[in-house]
Amino acid sequence: VDYGGQTSTDGTPLRPVDARWLDSVTLGEGNTPVIELPSVGETLGLNSLHAKLEYLNPTGSFKDRGTAVVMAAAKQHGAAEVVEDSSGNAGASVSAYAARAGIKAHIFAPANAPEAKLRQIRAYGAQVHAIEGTREAVTEAALAFHHEHTVMYASHVLSPYFAEGTKIFAYEVFEEFGAELPMHIVIPVGNGSLLLGAWRGFSELKDGGSINYIPRLHAVQASGVRPLVAAFNAEDEPANNGTIAGGIAVGSPARKAQIVEALHAANGEAIAVSDAGILRWHAAIAEREGVFGEPTSAAAFAGVERLVAQGTIGPWDSVLVPVTGFGLKDVPELG
Amino acid sequence: VDYGGQTSTDGTPLRPVDARWLDSVTLGEGNTPVIELPSVGETLGLNSLHAKLEYLNPTGSFKDRGTAVVMAAAKQHGAAEVVEDSSGNAGASVSAYAARAGIKAHIFAPANAPEAKLRQIRAYGAQVHAIEGTREAVTEAALAFHHEHTVMYASHVLSPYFAEGTKIFAYEVFEEFGAELPMHIVIPVGNGSLLLGAWRGFSELKDGGSINYIPRLHAVQASGVRPLVAAFNAEDEPANNGTIAGGIAVGSPARKAQIVEALHAANGEAIAVSDAGILRWHAAIAEREGVFGEPTSAAAFAGVERLVAQGTIGPWDSVLVPVTGFGLKDVPELG
């Protein structure tokens, strides 16, 4: 697999790459607002709850942070075309940054992907390849295309450049909170690209002496799709029963071992929440704080509720939740 | 009409109010990115074209700037409920900030408004009142509700607080560009809330000695709905033939006279563009720059094309365009 000069095999340790020499490909990603959530915080029995509105990135999700660096690498290496497999936020993000870089994007997506999501991808001029079969079949088709046509695989999961972008999340949290970093950051996790980026960013800050402690990083999954929760707790691989939270409906995350390792290193927990809980919090943060996230983002708040209930988060602990994707992108059909 | 202590009659001169004493109601609005558009700029024959991504405000449009101040005033005056008439960006914005302020929002909308737009409004817990008949009938119903129930009218068109929020756009342009302000700012105009706010902001900066000149502010409308273009050119009132650009489909803007006055004062033009041109630019900025705006936002680029063609904008003039609303909110149905 060719990530523009860098080579990597699936699931190998996420090693740092030096992205500093790349000419930037930017749409103004990052510098997302941090706001307090006093009403929801009070309900959860928390003294301090903040949200970082990651959905206010250029294509409506945090993915833009990573894509910007991946696409800068692609451009630097003279790629004329890239391929990615995602019908969701990553597909839209790669399509937009490819357009920005003057690169043609091929997006492989399940044939039954929601039309609304494909519409954003097509708007950026990307070519959508609809694939029948499982999610895994889509990835295989993308990889086959990559090999057959020698087109760079701009994977948000596997490219070592992606975490070089998402790590900036941690730097911005430091910029916002300074020495008084949040004690907990609760993240919805599918392929783990934000969690792994945050872990790298905070590790760099700690190694460099800028911060004294790394916030505890917790991973939230849906009960129906919880491979990381199972792996973290050394349980048997669970069945994939699906979830309304499309962004974390990842049955076999390629970087599973690294995510579990990062969670242990960051003194975090991995917990699962029900779709009912996700819908309840999806409504609560919109109706009571004016924050309209994706169901995937709402899962994190259901996770905070669980972590408070089990005593992992105490009432005086400060908590930060990234709102990862815009509600406009994925509105659950309700009665 | 009661704007929380301030009184104003429809269409009266837009006078400044002092919003500094208000406790803020914020969702992190403002500080939107400015990016260069080299590819589209080259096509237009321009040396310097920038976009300010106003769609990266908390509800996906620039309206949040004004709504934040209107809702701060509402909260300060102890309003428990507000009423607004809009099925579009303003309705979503008022709903979100009302939720944030703990205020119940009543949104009056045409019975035939697109379900996708109403979905965002409902997500914030606002009560939608569907009204049969013309757009004017919707406003009348909202005003009747305002009088009957003594509920504050949180109008993005009439509240004097609104422009106190949108004027910050001008301050941020100054912060970004410094002394080298863009020579032209090209704005899609329906009710004119961004244009009037920008004019006020730049006027304050000039009066205070921070800037030496005010950028020329141009208004772009759709050919099908161009009351301001007609008024600016002293033509007869045109028929309302509709447009795909929902954000500027305003047949009778309440502040028409003030907008025309501001355009003359800002040495601007008022021009009309076709729906075909809007669709062409809607695709071009997404496919070639990775910027996915609403059709309304694309109208401004069609406007730049016209202004260049007629010689108002020269090849060495620097141009700034606000991308006012997110493409996710209003995707035109295409073949």
Side-chain angles (χ1 to χ4, degrees), chain B residues 95-190:
Chain B
S95 300
Y97 282 79
R100 181 76 172 160
I103 292 172
K104 181 176 171 63
H106 297 270
I107 306 296
F108 283 68
N112 61 357
E115 184 54 32
K117 298 209 154 191
L118 298 178
R119 216 181 286 164
Q120 186 186 10
I121 292 171
R122 288 204 183 95
Y124 297 117
Q127 186 174 336
V128 174
H129 301 253
I131 304 297
E132 301 282 348
T134 64
R135 181 65 186 80
E136 286 71 25
V138 177
T139 301
E140 278 162 30
L143 277 166
F145 187 88
H146 153 65
H147 288 297
E148 201 174 317
H149 300 276
T150 332
V151 167
M152 180 177 153
Y153 186 32
S155 169
H156 64 289
V157 184
L158 300 174
S159 168
Y161 289 102
F162 202 88
E164 290 300 304
T166 53
K167 79 179 183 189
I168 307 302
F169 172 85
Y171 283 83
E172 290 180 14
V173 170
F174 171 56
E175 198 171 65
E176 177 81 25
F177 291 91
E180 299 282 328
L181 286 176
M183 296 172 68
H184 306 266
I185 302 181
V186 182
I187 304 174
V189 175

Side-chain angles (χ1 to χ4, degrees), chain B residues 28-48:
Chain B
E29 62 286 342
N31 292 315
T32 54
V34 172
I35 63 173
E36 207 181 340
L37 302 181
S39 169
V40 165
E42 194 183 335
T43 303
L44 289 166
L46 292 173
N47 189 49
S48 168

Side-chain angles (χ1 to χ4, degrees), chain A residues 196-240:
Chain A
L196 290 171
W199 171 246
R200 173 173 304 165
F202 285 121
S203 299
E204 288 181 1
L205 286 163
K206 186 147 182 292
D207 291 347
S210 298
I211 61 177
N212 295 318
Y213 67 94
I214 292 179
R216 294 179 66 179
L217 305 179
H218 305 289
V220 182
Q221 296 208 291
S223 305
V225 189
R226 53 187 165 81
L228 294 164
V229 176
F232 183 82
N233 296 314
E235 292 166 6
D236 289 346
E237 182 88 9
N240 185 334

Side-chain angles (χ1 to χ4, degrees), chain A residues 119-209:
Chain A
R119 216 181 287 164
Q120 187 186 7
I121 292 172
R122 289 204 183 95
Y124 298 116
Q127 185 173 337
V128 174
H129 301 254
I131 304 297
E132 301 284 348
T134 64
R135 181 65 184 81
E136 285 71 25
V138 177
T139 301
E140 277 162 31
L143 277 167
F145 187 88
H146 152 66
H147 288 299
E148 200 175 317
H149 300 275
T150 333
V151 167
M152 180 179 155
Y153 186 31
S155 170
H156 62 289
V157 183
L158 299 174
S159 168
Y161 289 101
F162 201 87
E164 290 300 304
T166 53
K167 79 179 183 189
I168 307 301
F169 173 84
Y171 283 83
E172 290 180 15
V173 170
F174 171 55
E175 197 171 63
E176 177 82 25
F177 290 92
E180 300 281 328
L181 287 177
M183 297 170 67
H184 305 266
I185 302 181
V186 182
I187 304 174
V189 175
N191 279 307
S193 57
L194 182 55
L195 183 115
L196 290 171
W199 171 246
R200 173 173 304 165
F202 285 121
S203 299
E204 288 181 1
L205 286 163
K206 186 147 182 292
D207 291 347

Side-chain angles (χ1 to χ4, degrees), chain A residues 288-310:
Chain A
R288 290 167 44 204
E289 302 285 8
V291 174
F292 186 33
E294 284 193 320
T296 295
S297 310
F301 291 91
V304 174
E305 187 178 37
R306 283 282 313 276
L307 290 165
V308 170
Q310 72 184 42

Side-chain angles (χ1 to χ4, degrees), chain A residues 189-192 195-196 228 253 255-263:
Chain A
V189 175
N191 279 307
L195 183 115
L196 290 171
L228 294 164
R255 295 191 182 275
K256 186 162 74 174
Q258 295 166 239
I259 297 169
V260 169
E261 196 184 329
L263 284 173

Side-chain angles (χ1 to χ4, degrees), chain A residues 26-31 33-38 53 55-60 95-97 99-102 116 119-120 122-125 282-283 286-292 326 328-329 331-333, chain B residues 26-31 33-38 53 55-60 95-97 99-102 116 119-120 122-125 282-283 286-292 326 328-329 331-333:
Chain A
T26 182
L27 285 165
E29 61 286 343
N31 292 314
V34 172
I35 63 172
E36 209 181 341
L37 302 181
L53 305 186
Y55 75 83
L56 294 180
N57 274 297
T59 74
S95 301
Y97 282 80
R100 181 77 170 158
R119 216 181 287 164
Q120 187 186 7
R122 289 204 183 95
Y124 298 116
H282 183 259
E287 292 175 7
R288 290 167 44 204
E289 302 285 8
V291 174
F292 186 33
F326 209 152
L328 292 172
K329 298 182 119 203
V331 184
E333 299 294 337
Chain B
T26 181
L27 284 166
E29 62 286 342
N31 292 315
V34 172
I35 63 173
E36 207 181 340
L37 302 181
L53 305 186
Y55 75 83
L56 294 180
N57 274 297
T59 74
S95 300
Y97 282 79
R100 181 76 172 160
R119 216 181 286 164
Q120 186 186 10
R122 288 204 183 95
Y124 297 117
H282 184 259
E287 292 174 8
R288 290 169 42 205
E289 301 286 8
V291 174
F292 185 33
F326 208 152
L328 292 172
K329 298 182 122 208
V331 184
E333 300 293 338

